[in-house]
Structure formats: structure tokens, C-alpha cells
Amino acid sequence: MALEHAILVSLLEKPGSGYELARRFDRSIGYFWAATHQQIYRVLKRMEGDGLIDAREVAQQDRPDKREYSVAAPGREALSQWLHEPIEPESVRHELAVKIRGAAFDDPAALIHEVERHRKAHADRLAHYLAGERRDFTGPEAPRALDAGRELQHVVLRGGIAYERMTLDWLDDVIATLERLAPPHAGAAR
Amino acid sequence: MALEHAILVSLLEKPGSGYELARRFDRSIGYFWAATHQQIYRVLKRMEGDGLIDAREVAQQDRPDKREYSVAAPGREALSQWLHEPIEPESVRHELAVKIRGAAFDDPAALIHEVERHRKAHADRLAHYLAGERRDFTGPEAPRALDAGRELQHVVLRGGIAYERMTLDWLDDVIATLERLAPPHAGAAR
DNA sequence: CTTGTCTATGCAACGAGTTGCATAGAAGGA
DNA sequence: TCCTTCTATGCAACTCGTTGCATAGACAAG
């Protein structure tokens, strides 16, 4: 039930509606825990029923009303408890890796375009992270004082940056390997 | 349905029973696509029903009989088709990152032990990968000839190694950040 | 002699996650 | 005027994945 905890963290950082949470999950916290609006609305309902969060109807002009959620005391308690529980180190799920191994039983060259497409997606994400870092953490208005929330957001973002850089290097290695196995000018390897 | 495809790849590399596949998913291919025996048995049933794989009862002495599966022609076809379809670049799911951001609303120092535990798990996995690489890809009996299956398994393993190295570096950064936020000797940051 | 581990397979129930669809008002462009 | 986009919420159906439990023979340790 990590989505529940991700929502608690996000609502502690700033209260918001289901829709707003879905937007945040498309950026920021969602880089490390993706979720669709369906999931979010469903879980918000359950969490409100369990008393973890409070809802407040907010009338708006020029747009539909919204339900703004904020963390209640039991929600803070639940998060704190979760933080003190150990979790299992993640097992990665890398569909592309399965494809690469599968390419041995098909045409390796046919995968090159697909890998290049992934490379581009990761390059874009890296550029996006770096822009966010410049904007939020190294700008002139970046406070010098030790702010736990900021520091922790920054270290998580550094993790995202390191991940994308590593992935780009690896995908270059993959492309080089695929090209070696299926040289464009010579015949295929026996 | 990537599990289906991971199973096809694994069975093409070597036919085997559900139990044997579950073992392989605990190592090798499972490093990039984890699965429990329950999932595997269920999907094998479905795939046999769909004609993607063939089953063969194998009597054994001193242990229970097993059903050995191998890939049928339609299975090869299905894999090939999947390889030619584009897939979405993965979105990572990193529960630890959620915890780290959550630590801003709790005691950051309390997370240090948890992060160190994860660091150790990743260090172990890296050592395991490196041992596998030495054994299978750089030993004296490693063939020099260009073998697509070997090369592709190796490049995927290199990806795993790069991932673990990156993760170790990042976790060191996380630990340093947490310690900075909660120095063991001085008072807590305001 | 009992307990635990390994091979081998499976059911049942539940929870998590995805996909398609629906509603509804306002704004902006073709 | 119509079409699309944005905000905002939700239902229904489905697939995927996890957890607990069960069976069953062989073997090893205590």
C-alpha cells in the first residue's frame, strides 16, 4: 500500500484535491511512484473513510468545485509508523531487458530503433530533471539554510538524475552491442 | 503481459518446468522481471491453453514428476511480434524514495539504518552479479566467437551492474544527507 | 521420531493497477 | 458553431500480482 503513503507525503508537502495530486504524480513524486487519477481517487476515498485524511469542499469560480484533502492526525501517525517499518529492497522490472534477451531469438538489428526511442525518452527526462534542479535547488534564491524538506527532495532528485545518466550510458552500450551483432554493411554473424 | 514474454524467452533459452522457471526467476532473468511460482504456474496454464507452449510429463525417480514446457511455433511467433511492437519506457517505482521524502515529516536520523540495510542488499547483489560475470563472461573458457545469446545476456548483466553501482553511490549520498540533517553529536537542525 | 528442507504443483481470496467510458462547465481556436 | 482542451470527479470491468494455505514424497538433522 505504498500509494497511500506517497499520497500522505504529498499532502503533507501541500494539501490538494484528487486532480491536483494526479498532476503532481505526473511530475515530482510520481517520478518515483507513478499513479493514475483512478487509483488516486479510489485510495483517497478509502483513506478518508479510514480517517487518515480530512476533506473540505472548495467552491471555485470558472471551474468545477473540488474536494481538498489534508492529512489528519491518524494519517500522520500511520506515515510515521510506516517510516519505522523496514521495506524490501526493490526488485527492478525492466521490460526492455526482457526484449533484449529475446532479441537473440529474432533479428537483433530490429531492436535498435526501439532502444534509440527509449534513449531519447530518458534523455528528455534527464533534461527535465536538470532544469528542475537548476530552478529549485541551485538558483540565486535557493536558501542557504538547512531545510530538511528541501534537502530530501534534492537528494531524491539527484537519484533520478543519476539513474537517467546511468541508463543513457547503458543504452549506448546496448545499441553498440546490437550493431556489433548485426553490422549494417557486412553479413549477419553466423 | 510481459511475464508471458519473459517466460517465452526463458523457455527458448532452455525448456523447463514451472518449478525450474520459478528458480530461474529468482536469479538471472528474474533480476529484471520478478515473479512468484503462483504467477508462473497460472500463466503457464493459460499459455498452454493458448497453444503458445507444449507440455510433456517427465517421470523422475526420488522426486515428484514434473511437467516440462517448451515453446511451440505460435509462441515463437507471439514473441517475435511483441519484439516488433514498441513498449513504453518504464516508470520507476522506488518506495525508498517515497520514504526519504517522508522523512522530512518525521525523524530523518531514524531512516539511516533502513537506508544502510538497503545499501547492504545492493552491495550483495552487485557482488553476485560480478561473480556471475566472471564465471560466465570473462573466464578462460569464455568463447571468443560472436554468440548473440551470450552477448545479449552479457549486456543485460552489465546493465544490472551499472544499476547497482549507481544505486550504491546514491545511497551513500542519501546517508550523508540524512546525517547532515541530524548530526549524531550536535543538536537537531532548527 | 519428529521437525525441517527440497522438489513439485496447485487453489482461493484479496489487493493493486489498467483501460474504457461518462459527466459537466468554461475557455479558446478554427 | 463546432471541436478540442482543461479542470474535476467518478463507475465498471478487467488483468496482474501477492499472500496464505494445502498436498506429497524424499531426505537429512536433531
Side-chain angles (χ1 to χ4, degrees), chain A residues 146 151 155 158, chain B residues 112 173 175-184 189:
Chain A
L146 211 61
E151 287 292 315
V155 78
R158 287 200 296 275
Chain B
I112 293 176
D173 185 6
I175 292 168
T177 302
L178 289 170
E179 280 172 351
R180 198 145 31 84
L181 290 171

Side-chain angles (χ1 to χ4, degrees), chain B:
Chain B
M1 272 191 255
L3 178 55
E4 207 170 282
H5 301 115
I7 287 175
L8 286 173
V9 170
S10 193
L11 287 181
L12 280 169
E13 286 173 357
K14 193 172 188 324
S17 68
Y19 186 84
E20 283 160 357
L21 279 171
R23 295 295 116 247
R24 287 184 217 172
F25 273 76
D26 288 342
R27 326 182 301 278
S28 183
I29 199 153
Y31 295 142
F32 309 99
W33 201 269
T36 62
H37 78 277
Q38 293 301 343
Q39 258 179 288
I40 291 167
Y41 281 120
R42 199 171 345 110
V43 173
L44 281 172
K45 278 259 152 81
R46 193 186 62 215
M47 290 169 75
E48 194 191 352
D50 293 346
L52 301 179
I53 53 177
D54 294 323
R56 187 170 74 90
E57 299 286 338
V58 179
Q60 298 183 109
Q61 57 190 35
D62 299 352
R63 47 178 73 178
D65 296 357
K66 64 176 180 178
R67 287 173 66 75
E68 193 177 78
Y69 292 96
S70 52
V71 178
R76 241 173 192 280
E77 181 53 36
L79 180 67
S80 174
Q81 204 188 309
W82 175 69
L83 288 171
H84 289 267
E85 277 165 18
I87 50 173
E88 281 305 295
E90 320 277 320
S91 45
V92 184
R93 296 214 139 184
H94 213 317
E95 211 174 348
L96 190 60
V98 177
K99 270 201 174 188
I100 291 165
R101 280 177 72 149
F105 306 97
D106 201 83
D107 178 16
L111 246 188
I112 293 176
H113 275 96
E114 171 81 343
V115 177
E116 278 168 347
R117 213 169 49 82
H118 281 247
R119 196 197 182 285
K120 184 168 182 330
H122 285 281
D124 289 350
R125 215 177 288 177
L126 174 60
H128 185 70
Y129 286 176
L130 288 172
E133 188 182 37
R134 259 193 307 279
R135 175 170 28 82
D136 296 335
F137 299 107
T138 60
E141 74 244 77
R144 191 159 265 61
L146 212 60
D147 172 345
R150 271 181 72 79
E151 287 293 315
L152 292 171
Q153 284 185 29
H154 193 186
V155 80
V156 168
L157 181 59
R158 287 200 297 274
I161 290 168
Y163 176 78
E164 298 304 334
R165 288 201 165 123
M166 180 279 299
T167 300
L168 285 176
D169 286 345
W170 177 59
L171 291 177
D172 286 339
D173 185 6
V174 171
I175 292 168
T177 302
L178 289 170
E179 280 172 351
R180 198 145 31 84
L181 290 171
H185 302 302
R190 68 153 217 108

